[in-house]
Amino acid sequence: MADSETTPPATNGAQKARPEKPDEAKFKADVAKAEKEHEAAQARFQAAKNKFDTARPGKSSPANDRFRELVEEQKAIRQKQQEHKASKAGLQEKYNKNESEIKKWIAEQKDARSRAGFKSVEEIDAKVASLTKQVDSGNMKLVDEKKALAEISALKRQKKTFGGLDDLQKKIDEKKAENAELRKSFDNQETRELSQKYETNQKELDDIKATREDANKNIDNLRAEKDKRYQEQNATWEAIKSIKDAYHAQRKAYKEYEDQLYQQRRERQKAEREAYDKEKRRRIAEQKLEEASEPAFLDEIRTAEGLIRHFDPSYATEGGEKGPGQFAATAQRTVDESGFKGMKVIKKDDEDFFVGGGGKKKGKGKKGGAASSNEGPLNLNVGIFEELAKVGVDPPSAQADVPVVVEKLKAKVADWKKEQKTQTEKNIEKARKEIEKLEVDGTEAPAAAA
């Protein structure tokens, strides 16, 4: 058996190719890439799911829950702002009036500048200087020169109107400065934080509303998108699993091949040392097979048939007892049946122990002993009880129970004889397995000692 273990790894009778060692660095890189794609797919699926849940009426979703939370916050902020405004109503009114005037004057400025075509006096001066330079050069035609002089006169008139705009700008600056002072009087840290919070919340509310309106237009498309993203998420997960499974399978195949090569080297190194152990195991194997080849249930059958003959002397076995098995050289042991031969039911007059039944009818049934009465008590010696216990049959308590006991014994004998061949084969097979184990243990023991 040890010789068979030294054969090189092979598949279908051919030399097995050496598996390629898996690249761990490439495996880790592939897994990292696949996991990154999976995380992205998860994020896309979660976004699609949230959008779908938001579009469903009454469906609890992060967006819907956040919307309700923001609405409550806005109500609380407006309430606090109203309280602040009420405490500074006069200042707020003046501030609002100044803001209105500032907006009005700025509009007048823009209108005047748009009509003039210039934004400042400097622009007008630059234009006048450019035209004057062209006229003074003497290179212009008479008609063009007249047009340029007329435009210079118009520009100078517009320049005068810009003086009014400057005055208007001064008024605007004064009102802005006044409002700045007013803001300082009622614009504290708390009000600024409330205003900032209100604006931030309102922007978030508007975004949620816009998303909800878009989502409500086509909920079927949202459902399809959610399902699509879910499939993508599953696909990326399967990709990760596939990479890991392929790596571990390749690693396992490589390790198994290397282990086989190592085992072969070990087998070749210890071949000489195992020669003696192999011969010793062969002798032990022969002995085990010899013992296992004895017919199974031999002791039980002999005991049961002896009991049957005790209770029913007319009983005879069919075909006699089976001899030794195919592996036995000689009989290993015999069963002494002297304890059963000549046994009979002991009458009450002969012994006073193990009385099976009651009653004191003396002088009756002497002819034929206890077997002459089916209703009388039955006395058995200790040996009979022990033999019945060995085969697992309850002893009879009266003469009427003897036929039942005999039938049970016959049934057991029949079962044992029926199973004898199969059980014997099992015993032989068990012995062979023990021999195989002995072979394995015999080959492993020297390696462990080394």
Side-chain angles (χ1 to χ4, degrees):
M1 294 179 67
D3 294 341
S4 64
E5 296 174 358
T6 61
T7 56
T11 302
N12 297 330
Q15 183 69 29
K16 184 178 180 181
R18 185 186 188 93
E20 182 181 357
K21 185 176 182 180
D23 188 344
E24 186 175 0
K26 183 178 182 300
F27 163 70
K28 290 181 178 179
D30 292 343
V31 169
K33 181 181 178 182
E35 287 178 346
K36 186 176 181 180
E37 293 175 355
H38 179 61
E39 290 174 0
Q42 280 184 314
R44 291 193 296 270
F45 166 69
Q46 193 60 45
K49 182 177 181 295
N50 291 340
K51 198 171 183 180
F52 174 72
D53 291 340
T54 301
R56 297 172 65 185
K59 176 67 176 179
S60 177
S61 67
N64 290 340
D65 296 342
R66 179 60 179 164
F67 185 86
R68 287 190 288 269
E69 181 182 346
L70 289 173
V71 169
E72 295 300 323
E73 286 186 8
Q74 294 295 75
K75 289 180 181 179
I77 291 172
R78 285 195 295 271
Q79 181 64 31
K80 290 182 180 180
Q81 287 177 336
Q82 289 296 332
E83 293 175 359
H84 285 294
K85 288 181 180 179
S87 62
K88 297 180 176 66
L91 296 175
Q92 185 66 43
E93 183 178 354
K94 186 176 182 180
Y95 178 86
N96 292 338
K97 182 179 178 182
N98 289 344
E99 284 291 315
S100 177
E101 290 179 349
I102 289 170
K103 291 178 181 178
K104 177 183 176 184
W105 291 337
I106 290 174
E108 291 176 0
Q109 269 188 334
K110 288 182 178 180
D111 183 60
R113 292 181 192 278
S114 63
R115 287 197 306 270
F118 298 95
K119 296 181 179 179
S120 65
V121 175
E122 287 76 13
E123 288 185 4
I124 295 175
D125 290 339
K127 183 66 175 177
V128 170
S130 176
L131 292 172
T132 302
K133 186 177 179 180
Q134 292 178 16
V135 172
D136 293 342
S137 68
N139 296 325
M140 299 179 69
K141 294 180 180 181
L142 182 61
V143 176
D144 294 335
E145 185 177 342
K146 287 181 179 181
K147 289 181 179 180
L149 291 173
E151 187 177 354
I152 291 171
S153 300
L155 291 171
K156 288 181 178 179
R157 287 193 299 272
Q158 285 184 6
K159 182 177 179 182
K160 294 178 181 179
T161 61
F162 267 86
L165 293 177
D166 292 339
D167 294 337
L168 189 61
Q169 183 62 42
K170 289 179 181 179
K171 290 181 181 181
I172 291 172
D173 293 339
E174 289 174 359
K175 289 296 182 181
K176 286 184 176 181
E178 186 177 353
N179 274 4
E181 292 298 324
L182 288 173
R183 278 197 302 271
K184 292 179 181 179
S185 65
F186 59 79
D187 185 17
N188 53 32
Q189 181 67 21
E190 183 181 1
T191 56
R192 285 196 298 273
E193 289 178 355
L194 288 173
S195 298
Q196 182 63 35
K197 181 67 174 174
Y198 188 88
E199 292 176 3
T200 303
N201 288 353
Q202 190 60 44
K203 183 178 179 182
E204 189 173 354
L205 282 170
D206 294 340
D207 292 341
I208 294 174
K209 287 179 181 178
T211 302
R212 184 183 292 175
E213 289 174 0
D214 293 339
N216 285 333
K217 291 179 181 178
N218 197 344
I219 194 169
D220 292 335
N221 289 341
L222 291 176
R223 182 183 289 107
E225 178 69 12
K226 177 180 72 71
D227 295 341
K228 176 184 175 183
R229 297 304 181 186
Y230 178 75
Q231 295 298 329
E232 290 178 356
Q233 174 187 261
N234 287 348
T236 55
W237 170 251
E238 288 298 328
I240 294 174
K241 186 174 180 296
S242 177
I243 292 171
K244 291 183 177 180
D245 290 346
Y247 172 78
H248 291 300
Q250 187 178 4
R251 183 181 177 186
K252 181 181 179 183
Y254 178 80
K255 184 178 183 303
E256 288 178 350
Y257 186 87
E258 291 296 317
D259 289 346
Q260 285 181 315
L261 290 181
Y262 174 76
Q263 183 63 26
Q264 290 172 9
R265 290 192 295 269
R266 296 274 296 181
E267 292 296 334
R268 286 193 298 269
Q269 292 171 358
K270 66 181 179 179
E272 293 181 1
R273 186 176 65 248
E274 288 183 344
Y276 172 77
D277 294 337
K278 182 177 180 180
E279 177 61 23
K280 182 179 178 180
R281 290 193 298 273
R282 186 188 64 78
R283 292 195 300 267
I284 295 174
E286 289 179 355
Q287 183 179 354
K288 284 183 173 290
L289 284 174
E290 186 176 322
E291 292 176 354
S293 65
E294 290 187 5
F297 309 117
L298 190 59
D299 289 346
E300 290 85 348
I301 292 172
R302 286 173 174 170
T303 301
E305 289 180 342
L307 289 169
I308 295 172
R309 284 192 294 269
H310 171 73
F311 291 115
D312 184 7
S314 64
Y315 173 76
T317 59
E318 296 179 2
E321 295 179 356
K322 293 185 178 180
Q326 56 178 325
F327 297 100
T330 58
Q332 300 297 313
R333 57 194 177 92
T334 57
V335 178
D336 185 6
E337 300 182 9
S338 59
F340 301 132
K341 293 181 180 180
M343 283 189 177
K344 63 183 181 67
V345 179
I346 302 172
K347 294 187 292 185
K348 187 175 180 182
D349 295 341
D350 296 334
E351 290 188 13
D352 297 330
F353 53 90
F354 293 101
V355 178
K360 295 184 179 180
K361 297 180 180 180
K362 297 182 179 179
K364 295 183 179 180
K366 289 183 180 181
K367 187 177 181 181
S372 63
S373 175
N374 290 334
E375 303 296 333
L378 181 65
N379 298 328
L380 302 174
N381 60 30
V382 176
I384 299 300
F385 279 99
E386 292 177 349
E387 296 300 319
L388 287 169
K390 287 181 182 179
V391 297
V393 176
D394 295 332
S397 59
Q399 186 65 34
D401 297 334
V402 170
V404 177
V405 172
V406 170
E407 290 302 320
K408 289 181 179 180
L409 291 169
K410 287 180 179 180
K412 282 183 172 289
V413 169
D415 290 340
W416 285 329
K417 287 184 177 181
K418 180 181 179 182
E419 300 293 330
Q420 190 174 51
K421 181 179 179 182
T422 302
Q423 187 60 41
T424 302
E425 291 174 353
K426 289 181 179 179
N427 291 342
I428 293 172
E429 182 64 23
K430 180 180 178 183
R432 284 175 175 165
K433 289 182 179 180
E434 291 177 355
I435 291 168
E436 291 176 1
K437 185 176 183 300
L438 185 63
E439 289 284 346
V440 174
D441 293 341
T443 55
E444 292 178 352

